[in-house]
Amino acid sequence: MAVPSLHSLRAFESVSRLGNIAAAAAELHVTPGAISQQLRALRLSLGVDLFRKNGRRLELTERGATLQKSVGMAMHQIADSIREISANVSSGTGKAELCVSAPSVFGTTWLTARIFQFLDANPDMRLQMLTAITFEEVDWRKVDVAIVYGSPPWPGFSWRLLHSMHAAPVCSPQLLRGPHGIREPRDVLHHRLLHEDDGSQWRHWLMQARVPHSVQSDIYFDNFAMVLQAARDGHGVALTNDIISFRDLDEGRLVQPLTLFAPAARNYYCICHEEGLANPAISGFVDWLVDQAAKPSR
């Protein structure tokens, strides 16, 4: 039997890890149709089914799981070799290089306030910064360490909690004034509730506040930086916490009129490949992130 193409094995490994063709297509920068074609070619080449459907996810069959172990190990070995070669090439500069990914709003409000302290304390390091929100959006072919907003587990990866998210309303100081000024939980209903999701976080907060509600909104954002800017401009009330909004609260652009916090469905985690922890640069940076997260933001 001929060995299947590397393209089909690469597509198989990505889908088996992410459980979704669309996510694998995004990771490999191809179309979902191309991924489906590669999986079909691999199945015909081997003559066995490698996946079964479970709702929207694709789960490995017993034979698929056997193949995944070998393919996953081979892909990691290739990635390790590439990183080793790259490290040798860059060794002439005398600096170790790390590629770090973080959600844009987290990077803007929390990480950039600290990352230059890390560089000052580690002059032998060079960082490349990328942006991604969820685990599935991270380009793990490039990234050594990622901060993601999500929920474990992530097989094949090591993760450590950075921040447990508990959200409270924030708004422009102007929303504290006038007949509809926010003084108690039910007052937020006089204003536009700004969402990054489908409104579920606001519904959860209002339920915790014992406020009867039917959350409706005429606008949703897929980027929390836009939510914060809309709140700064006085267009409504956002749900966030001190980790993301501490600068705005310190400098008076936003205020926190109510102190009722509700837990978020997801949290911020620091993630790297399991084998990456053997690299002192990666493990040291992860330890530094966790240490920084344990310190007060304000």
Side-chain angles (χ1 to χ4, degrees):
M1 177 184 295
V3 176
S5 71
L6 182 60
H7 287 302
S8 62
L9 292 174
R10 189 181 182 193
F12 166 76
E13 189 279 333
S14 183
V15 173
S16 65
R17 175 165 39 82
L18 301 176
N20 184 277
I21 287 177
E27 180 181 66
L28 299 179
H29 303 288
V30 298
T31 66
I35 295 293
S36 297
Q37 185 176 354
Q38 292 293 346
L39 294 182
R40 190 180 305 112
L42 182 62
R43 179 174 59 81
L44 292 175
S45 173
L46 298 178
V48 296
D49 290 326
L50 301 172
F51 294 99
R52 67 172 71 90
K53 284 190 175 182
N54 183 2
R56 294 184 177 182
R57 291 186 61 82
L58 290 176
E59 294 183 346
L60 290 166
T61 63
E62 184 177 349
R63 291 177 176 177
T66 299
L67 179 62
Q68 193 277 334
K69 290 180 182 178
S70 298
V71 173
M73 183 179 299
M75 291 297 180
H76 285 324
Q77 289 175 343
I78 292 172
D80 287 343
S81 296
I82 292 173
R83 279 194 288 267
E84 182 178 351
I85 292 171
S86 299
N88 290 337
V89 170
S90 63
S91 62
T93 66
K95 291 180 178 287
E97 296 191 5
L98 287 182
C99 184
V100 180
S101 172
S104 58
V105 68
F106 188 91
T108 301
T109 59
W110 188 86
L111 187 57
T112 55
R114 295 162 173 77
I115 198 66
F116 296 103
Q117 299 173 19
F118 174 82
L119 290 173
D120 289 342
N122 297 272
D124 58 337
M125 297 289 294
R126 176 182 287 128
L127 301 180
Q128 179 187 7
M129 306 300 296
L130 304 179
T131 59
I133 299 174
T134 65
F135 174 86
E136 291 77 13
E137 294 176 1
V138 176
D139 187 348
W140 288 108
R141 296 168 300 172
K142 299 178 181 178
V143 171
D144 297 299
V145 179
I147 298 169
V148 303
Y149 185 55
S151 301
W154 295 286
F157 290 81
S158 172
W159 62 87
R160 295 175 70 179
L161 178 67
L162 288 184
H163 297 293
S164 294
M165 302 296 285
H166 290 76
V170 296
C171 64
S172 167
Q174 70 190 63
L175 298 193
L176 302 184
R177 301 186 291 269
H180 295 311
I182 301 174
R183 299 174 183 84
E184 54 184 298
R186 64 183 179 183
D187 292 335
V188 300
L189 298 180
H190 293 301
H191 304 278
R192 181 179 281 107
L193 303 182
L194 302 171
H195 305 288
E196 186 193 19
D197 58 12
D198 61 357
S200 58
Q201 186 64 44
W202 264 114
R203 286 191 291 271
H204 181 58
W205 186 90
L206 290 166
M207 181 174 62
Q208 295 288 318
R210 304 293 192 270
V211 175
H213 64 280
S214 177
V215 174
Q216 300 291 332
S217 180
D218 55 2
I219 186 168
Y220 293 88
F221 299 94
D222 71 351
N223 185 315
F224 196 69
M226 298 175 70
V227 172
L228 284 180
Q229 188 58 50
R232 294 183 194 110
D233 292 339
H235 295 303
V237 188
L239 277 176
T240 184
N241 61 54
D242 288 353
I243 302 303
I244 299 301
S245 58
F246 77 96
R247 280 188 173 180
D248 287 310
L249 294 171
D250 279 350
E251 297 171 12
R253 289 185 294 268
L254 292 174
V255 293
Q256 194 176 82
L258 305 166
T259 58
L260 174 63
F261 285 81
R266 296 178 290 174
N267 298 302
Y268 281 107
Y269 290 86
C270 176
I271 305 178
C272 68
H273 286 288
E274 288 179 346
E275 64 271 19
L277 292 176
N279 184 329
I282 293 176
S283 60
F285 185 69
V286 169
D287 289 340
W288 177 82
L289 283 172
V290 173
D291 178 68
Q292 289 294 309
K295 297 178 180 178
S297 294
R298 302 177 67 182

